[in-house]
């Protein structure tokens, strides 16, 4: 099997997570057809998409050797890394937010 064929599943999931993050960011969810828009990659990374006169930016994070996460937002100021929280620390964080 050649390198392109070996990377095909990886590329599929990469595009899927990017597109899924976009349709969630615009509030449409999976009812918005994935084949109605395309993702473009250049030397700077994934190019932004404009929807309803708003620009959406993308960032991907490697979660594990086998997992990647995509984030889509109207703000191009992304965190450098993903912070993992335990259930308890997340619960405490949420309580402190709601108490203030």
């Amino acid at each position: 099997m050649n390198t392109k064929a070996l990377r095909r599943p990886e590329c599929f999931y990469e595009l899927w997570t990017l597109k899924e993050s976009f349709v969630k960011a615009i509030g449409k969810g999976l009812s918005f057809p994935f084949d109605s828009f395309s993702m473009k990659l250049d030397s700077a990374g994934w190019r932004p998409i404009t929807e309803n006169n708003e620009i959406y930016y993308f960032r991907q994070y490697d979660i594990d050797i086998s997992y990647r996460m995509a984030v889509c937002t109207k703000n191009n100021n992304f965190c450098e890394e993903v912070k993992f929280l335990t259930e308890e620390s997340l619960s405490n964080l949420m309580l402190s937010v709601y108490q203030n």
Side-chain angles (χ1 to χ4, degrees):
M1 209 181 260
N2 65 28
T3 305
K4 284 184 181 181
L6 289 173
R7 278 200 25 88
R8 191 171 293 144
E10 180 183 337
C11 291
F12 169 81
Y13 288 114
E14 185 171 353
L15 282 172
W16 179 274
T17 58
L18 286 160
K19 287 187 167 208
E20 182 181 24
S21 71
F22 174 69
V23 298
K24 288 179 178 179
I26 63 171
K28 302 287 185 183
L30 296 178
S31 66
F32 196 83
F34 278 17
D35 62 356
S36 66
F37 65 99
S38 61
M39 303 293 305
K40 294 184 174 119
L41 181 64
D42 61 24
S43 61
W46 291 102
R47 297 192 57 202
I49 292 178
T50 302
E51 174 72 19
N52 293 329
N53 296 318
E54 295 185 288
I55 300 173
Y56 292 86
Y57 301 91
F58 298 90
R59 172 82 188 254
Q60 289 183 300
Y61 297 93
D62 291 322
I63 301 300
D64 189 285
I65 194 161
S66 301
Y67 295 97
R68 181 171 259 193
M69 178 180 81
V71 176
C72 177
T73 181
K74 291 185 271 186
N75 181 343
N76 196 20
N77 187 16
F78 292 96
C79 297
E80 289 302 312
E81 62 184 38
V82 175
K83 183 176 181 180
F84 293 92
L85 301 175
T86 64
E87 184 179 343
E88 181 181 357
S89 62
L90 178 60
S91 177
N92 291 336
L93 177 63
M94 295 306 292
L95 285 173
S96 70
V97 167
Y98 286 114
Q99 289 174 351
N100 292 328

